[in-house]
Amino acid sequence: MKHISISFPGVKALTDVDFQTTAGTAHALIGANGAGKSTLMKILSGAYIHYEGEIWIDGSKADIRSPKEAKDLGIQIVYQEVDTALIPNLTVGENIMLDRTVHDMGKRHLIRWKELHREAESILSRMNIRVPVKKLISELTLAEKQMVLIARAVSKQCRILVLDEPTAPLSHSETDQLFKLVRKLKQDGVGIIFISHRLPELYEICDDITIMRDGLLVKSDRIANIDQPKVVEYMLGSKMDQQFPHIDRDIGPARLEVKGMHDPGKINGVDLYLRQGEIVGLAGLVGAGKTELCRAVFGASGTSTGEMILDGKKLRIRSPHDAVRHGIALVPEERRREGVFVEEPVSVNLTAAVLSRFSKWGSWLSFGREKQAAREMIESLGIKTPSERARVRNLSGGNQQKVAIGKWLLADADVYIFDEPTKGVDVGAKRDIFKLVAELAKRGKCVLYATSELPEIVGITDRVYVMYDGRITKELTTRSTNEEELLLYCTGGGLT
């Protein structure tokens, strides 16, 4: 890719960027959120066509102006937000074979369903993915959806495979499985472009690295030639300060108690409590039940039962509306599907939870006051956006997450639940999120911080519950534990 530039209303996303990769290698493409890496790959995959510059493949100039043209050249991309790329009411097999089915429908009107599912099953078997081909996508876990997307990408002749944050929803074992697949694809001559914010993974699987910042190429080299601290420095443009903030806090009495929380097939008899000014970690691997517990506490399950007490008062929470009314906020794991309105402006998202504050007589919305509040929150959180009128879908992942958090800061809740808040977020934005969480606790809020990232548990929490197979299996004081012990309990070890 030579001299690639592209602009969107109010922002220059890429400026004169060069990028190249080689067949049979894995190439890390990294940068802070908003650096332009995903935009560059969307140009390569035909999603953005109004770019300047040239694309060359095997010495021949390629004019890629649609996703189909990119796929015909063997370029496949697996996006980070899996739910936007899969059709939930179709089966696994139908989603894997979707591109081929659509193409074949132009030639014939009959689909051989048994043959379709048999071929999809063969693809999954070669990849060692154990997901029933006739299961609906809507019934899969986030990790299973990710693997289905990768299976679809390699179901056709694939020469260049772009993986955008592929390990974000995966467990350690699933990540190992993905890496085995990547190594096999490399042996088969496929060029892998690997976008990730998890630096240790890049050093494990990648051969080369390209670092971007503010729409510019800042460094490209063999990955072995650059150590991790230097990579972070290139990403941020300066040396990174201490990642986890140390903010003095006074931890008070218990405010929220959860007793006997059940959700059939998901969580079983969970008890926990949160104290004023305390950050409580909820640690566990993918599938342990963390997300399900967060949703149950927020009233978003629909099938959960249990008792919740806030400040000595028993709560009756049957919906998220009830939870918000009682001062409970949730920043969900799947931010694009559940945390923000992607097609709406930043201002609408930031004020969505507190519209009554900007309305007169309960019906007339004061757009001026709404705009002012949104601008203040944008400045406070350092959200990178051309203006408060920009659509959230055009923001980077880290800035979308800041918007998802910002709306609850305006709401001024008593209990904040964060479910994998740093998934798909760069090191700079992570630091900002950690500071936000610590500041909330300093203000006396209760914080439940659910994550599979054990360094974050050790770095930011005061106390931690470990989940395994839908249960709380251990409660620990963070300062008296470490990542190794947490991982032991997260994997079911040490249990009697």
Side-chain angles (χ1 to χ4, degrees), residues 127-184:
M127 297 173 64
N128 197 29
I129 298 174
R130 295 176 178 85
V131 181
V133 292
K134 293 189 177 181
K135 196 171 184 179
L136 291 178
I137 290 294
S138 59
E139 299 172 352
L140 301 186
T141 66
L142 201 58
E144 289 172 334
K145 292 175 184 177
Q146 179 74 65
M147 300 308 285
V148 168
L149 265 183
I150 295 173
R152 184 167 78 188
V154 301
S155 66
K156 297 180 66 176
Q157 184 62 35
C158 181
R159 301 164 72 192
I160 300 171
L161 178 62
V162 182
L163 300 176
D164 190 355
E165 291 288 347
T167 63
L170 303 184
S171 67
H172 292 287
S173 61
E174 289 163 336
T175 297
D176 290 339
Q177 183 179 338
L178 172 65
F179 284 179
K180 288 178 182 177
L181 174 61
V182 169
R183 292 186 181 101
K184 182 180 183 304

Side-chain angles (χ1 to χ4, degrees), residues 291 294-295 298 328-335 338-340 400-409 415-422 433 436-437 440 448-450:
T291 293
C294 292
R295 289 176 58 83
F298 191 60
I328 300 174
L330 169 66
V331 179
E333 177 182 14
E334 299 184 62
R335 57 176 170 262
E338 300 177 334
V340 293
Q400 288 180 4
Q401 187 71 316
K402 288 181 180 180
V403 171
I405 295 172
K407 75 178 180 186
W408 294 119
L409 297 183
V415 178
Y416 285 83
I417 304 170
F418 293 89
D419 186 10
E420 298 288 358
T422 63
I433 290 172
L436 281 171
V437 171
L440 286 171
L448 182 63
Y449 192 97

Side-chain angles (χ1 to χ4, degrees), residues 251 271-275 278-284 447-449 454 457-468 472-491 493-495:
I251 296 178
D271 297 330
L272 60 83
Y273 68 94
L274 307 179
R275 291 185 289 208
E278 183 183 36
I279 302 173
V280 176
L282 186 62
V447 177
L448 182 63
Y449 192 97
L454 300 184
I457 292 287
V458 173
I460 197 172
T461 69
D462 303 297
R463 189 164 50 89
V464 55
Y465 292 103
V466 180
M467 285 199 77
Y468 176 77
I472 299 289
T473 58
K474 197 72 175 178
E475 179 185 354
L476 300 161
T477 301
T478 306
R479 65 173 176 270
S480 63
T481 189
N482 53 44
E483 291 180 42
E484 289 75 17
E485 183 180 27
L486 288 172
L487 183 58
L488 174 67
Y489 290 119
C490 284
T491 54
L495 305 179

Side-chain angles (χ1 to χ4, degrees), residues 3 14-15 22-23 84 114 182 277 283 287 316 360 365 459 479 495:
H3 308 297
L14 296 174
T15 303
T22 310
T84 63
K114 287 185 179 179
V182 169
R316 183 182 177 89
K360 296 179 180 179
L365 189 64
R479 65 173 176 270
L495 305 179

Side-chain angles (χ1 to χ4, degrees), residues 387-452:
S387 74
E388 74 281 355
R389 299 185 303 275
R391 288 187 180 186
V392 168
R393 69 174 302 171
N394 295 327
L395 304 187
S396 67
N399 287 300
Q400 288 180 4
Q401 187 71 316
K402 288 181 180 180
V403 171
I405 295 172
K407 75 178 180 186
W408 294 119
L409 297 183
L410 275 175
D412 195 29
D414 295 310
V415 178
Y416 285 83
I417 304 170
F418 293 89
D419 186 10
E420 298 288 358
T422 63
K423 188 178 80 172
V425 171
D426 69 76
V427 289
K430 282 183 181 180
R431 181 179 54 185
D432 293 340
I433 290 172
F434 297 147
K435 185 177 179 180
L436 281 171
V437 171
E439 290 286 356
L440 286 171
K442 184 179 180 180
R443 287 163 47 191
K445 310 298 184 181
C446 301
V447 177
L448 182 63
Y449 192 97
T451 183
S452 56

Side-chain angles (χ1 to χ4, degrees), residues 10-11 17 25 47 72 120 144 187 206 217 275 315 322 398 422 431:
V11 61
V17 173
T25 65
D72 289 344
E144 289 172 334
Q187 291 174 357
C206 293
L217 171 70
R275 291 185 289 208
L315 304 181
D322 292 337
T422 63
R431 181 179 54 185

Side-chain angles (χ1 to χ4, degrees), residues 190-225:
V190 177
I192 310 291
I193 302 174
F194 203 98
I195 301 175
S196 178
H197 295 302
R198 296 177 172 180
L199 295 184
E201 293 180 354
L202 300 180
Y203 280 82
E204 180 180 347
I205 198 68
C206 293
D207 308 288
D208 304 298
I209 187 169
T210 292
I211 307 169
M212 298 182 66
R213 186 175 69 247
D214 297 331
L216 301 168
L217 171 70
V218 294
K219 185 69 176 178
S220 191
D221 203 341
R222 299 289 290 181
I223 197 167
N225 295 339

